[in-house]
Amino acid sequence: MSIHEVFMPALSSTMTEGKIVSWVKSPGDKVEKGETVVVVESDKADMDVETFYEGFLAYIIVQAGETAPVGSAIAFIAETEAEIEQAKSLANSGSVAASATSSPEPIAAGTASSATPALASQNGSNHKEGRLVASPRARKLAKELKVDLTTLEGSGPHGRIVAEDVEALSNQGKQPTTAPVAPAAPVSTSAPAPPAPRTPAPTTVVAAVPGQVVALTTFQNAVVRNMVATISVPVFRVGYTITTDGLDKLYKQIKSKGVTMTALLAKAVAVTLQKHPLLNASYSDQGIVYHSDINISVAVAMDDGGLITPVLQNADAVDIYSLSRTWKSLVERARAKQLQPQEYNSGTFTLSNLGMFGVDKFDAILPPGQGSILAIGASRPQVVATPDGLFGVRQQMQVNITSDHRIIYGANAAAFLQDLAKLIETNPQSLTM
């Protein structure tokens, strides 16, 4: 007989603690292998946590709304109903506090006293071959829409069925083919629908009570840790002015097809990075890491505080229409805290845009693990001298790149910005090819 600890998992590479959003199961409930028992808020998203054990949820150590360090015990699962009381006694004896502060190493059955049940370690891998894995929201939606989950192929990690899969099948009104159902990308008012070319909708600001101290959210604490981590990195900044008349004209022509300005800018940066792999690289103690993919992170402010950077993966190779659809889906799921880790932690270069606030130019802070970030200001009409010696009015925006000076030098950044400006000013049409 044994009682298993459920540990707070590391849901991202930067996560140090997690917050319990809700317990899907209650003490005494039967649990199956691979079944979701709790929803955890990491530093980037809300994630379902499943168990590798079969038995009964015996005791909850960390209640909903509370936080716990990664690797600490958050609950006990008993293999039999008879062991539930033993788990409660174990928790009340003070062993819980000890297990919460120690690393999650296995405790062998032979080392436990006869009065104390053996504790097995780690939640384990719960994505077993042939097992139906679906999120709680997907199961609930399937029940409401009368969709048979066994006929679906999930689009989530490890083939997990997510709510979008159920919705897509329900909208089709027929069973899926052998190809996985792609996540739906509905357009909502919370997604960036810019009235001006490069301005996502402003984030809702929650009013604070004067004199009140408001605790930082998990997202905000993650931002704090990341920003502090960048202090030790030597950086430099280079600014450049880019004329956007051609890009603005192209955007007006194709925005009715669902193209966003964010996708156009990300595509332009990604294509330029093909010629400048050093700007897509990052520093490591072993040397310069040249990444095989060009993945563009784009900073998005969350409605309830904090910042997240959804990633447009392989942005240089994806067509602008698919890239725009992906971006709309990423933003919507980011604000619903439904992004998977690879959708926010795989970036190799970051864009930050404050043009929506009328900001002319600003400096962006370099994200940990990347070599460069590009700050984009507002595009404004400017009086400029033309090549024929006359004056004219041109739409121009100012961009400012922040780079890791350990691997990138001023000339490298300047050459990148020159080529980016050349692409946007003289050949923006190539972004649709």
Side-chain angles (χ1 to χ4, degrees):
M1 294 192 302
S2 62
I3 294 173
H4 306 280
E5 289 178 298
V6 177
F7 293 103
M8 177 63 74
L11 302 175
S12 75
S13 59
T14 59
M15 179 177 169
T16 58
E17 66 178 13
K19 180 180 179 181
I20 304 297
V21 177
S22 63
W23 283 95
V24 179
K25 294 289 186 177
S26 301
D29 286 354
K30 185 80 168 65
V31 295
E32 303 289 341
K33 291 181 181 180
E35 188 174 14
T36 297
V37 294
V38 63
V39 179
V40 171
E41 180 187 52
S42 72
D43 55 359
K44 300 295 184 182
D46 291 350
M47 303 285 286
D48 300 334
V49 177
E50 303 163 359
T51 176
F52 185 50
Y53 307 117
E54 182 176 342
F56 297 86
L57 182 60
Y59 187 85
I60 293 176
I61 302 169
V62 183
Q63 301 295 327
E66 297 179 351
T67 60
V70 168
S72 64
I74 59 176
F76 285 147
I77 290 179
E79 289 188 355
T80 65
E81 285 187 274
E83 293 176 305
I84 293 178
E85 290 303 320
Q86 289 180 291
K88 292 180 180 178
S89 299
L90 181 66
N92 294 329
S93 69
S95 298
V96 172
S99 67
T101 56
S102 62
S103 59
E105 293 296 327
I107 301 177
T111 63
S113 67
S114 58
T116 305
L119 292 176
S121 173
Q122 294 293 6
N123 303 342
S125 171
N126 41 52
H127 298 287
K128 293 296 183 182
E129 188 68 29
R131 178 172 296 279
L132 177 65
V133 181
S135 70
R137 187 162 158 251
R139 291 180 186 274
K140 180 179 179 182
L141 194 60
K143 186 175 181 180
E144 294 174 354
L145 299 177
K146 302 187 185 310
V147 171
D148 184 0
L149 290 175
T150 60
T151 64
L152 281 172
E153 291 189 44
S155 61
H158 307 283
R160 166 190 267 183
I161 299 170
V162 294
E164 287 82 358
D165 300 329
V166 179
E167 291 171 345
L169 177 60
S170 177
N171 292 336
Q172 290 175 1
K174 60 182 180 180
Q175 298 302 313
T177 61
T178 55
V181 180
V187 177
S188 75
T189 55
S190 63
R198 52 183 74 40
T199 59
T203 301
T204 302
V205 178
V206 179
V209 178
Q212 181 184 23
V213 177
V214 180
L216 296 176
T217 65
T218 308
F219 276 21
Q220 289 170 324
N221 274 316
V223 173
V224 170
R225 290 193 300 270
N226 287 340
M227 296 304 99
V228 171
T230 65
I231 294 177
S232 61
V233 178
V235 299
F236 69 95
R237 299 170 179 87
V238 178
Y240 209 95
T241 300
I242 301 178
T243 300
T244 64
D245 291 287
L247 187 67
D248 294 337
K249 181 179 179 181
L250 173 64
Y251 174 69
K252 291 177 182 178
Q253 292 172 347
I254 60 178
K255 69 177 181 178
S256 62
K257 299 180 181 179
V259 174
T260 66
M261 179 57 77
T262 296
L264 277 172
L265 290 171
K267 179 76 170 180
V269 167
V271 170
T272 307
L273 286 173
Q274 290 177 332
K275 301 179 181 178
H276 300 272
L278 183 61
L279 273 293
N280 192 53
S282 59
Y283 170 86
S284 76
D285 291 339
Q286 291 71 42
I288 302 174
V289 180
Y290 287 94
H291 302 288
S292 56
D293 298 324
I294 297 176
N295 298 335
I296 306 298
S297 303
V298 185
V300 173
M302 301 294 287
D303 292 341
D304 58 351
L307 184 74
I308 194 168
T309 52
V311 179
L312 289 167
Q313 298 182 3
N314 300 302
D316 58 320
V318 178
D319 69 87
I320 191 62
Y321 304 102
S322 298
L323 204 63
S324 295
R325 288 192 295 270
T326 298
W327 176 243
K328 289 180 179 179
S329 174
L330 285 170
V331 171
E332 183 165 312
R333 289 185 290 115
R335 289 180 171 160
K337 297 184 180 180
Q338 294 176 350
L339 290 181
Q340 297 300 317
Q342 69 273 16
E343 293 178 314
Y344 58 74
N345 64 13
S346 59
T348 58
F349 187 104
T350 296
L351 298 183
S352 182
N353 177 15
L354 290 182
M356 67 174 114
F357 299 109
V359 173
D360 291 319
K361 62 180 179 179
F362 65 102
D363 291 335
I365 299 177
L366 184 68
Q370 293 188 18
S372 295
I373 180 172
L374 186 68
I376 300 174
S379 179
R380 300 182 182 280
Q382 303 286 347
V383 176
V384 299
T386 61
D388 54 9
L390 302 176
F391 291 99
V393 177
R394 300 285 187 270
Q395 287 289 130
Q396 293 186 329
M397 68 178 182
Q398 295 190 51
V399 299
N400 198 11
I401 194 169
T402 302
S403 296
D404 187 340
H405 213 331
R406 293 173 297 183
I407 61 172
I408 300 168
Y409 304 122
N412 305 128
F416 165 79
L417 292 177
Q418 281 183 326
D419 283 344
L420 177 64
K422 183 178 180 181
L423 171 62
I424 291 176
E425 292 175 352
T426 65
N427 194 22
Q429 200 69 34
S430 64
L431 300 175
T432 63
M433 299 176 182

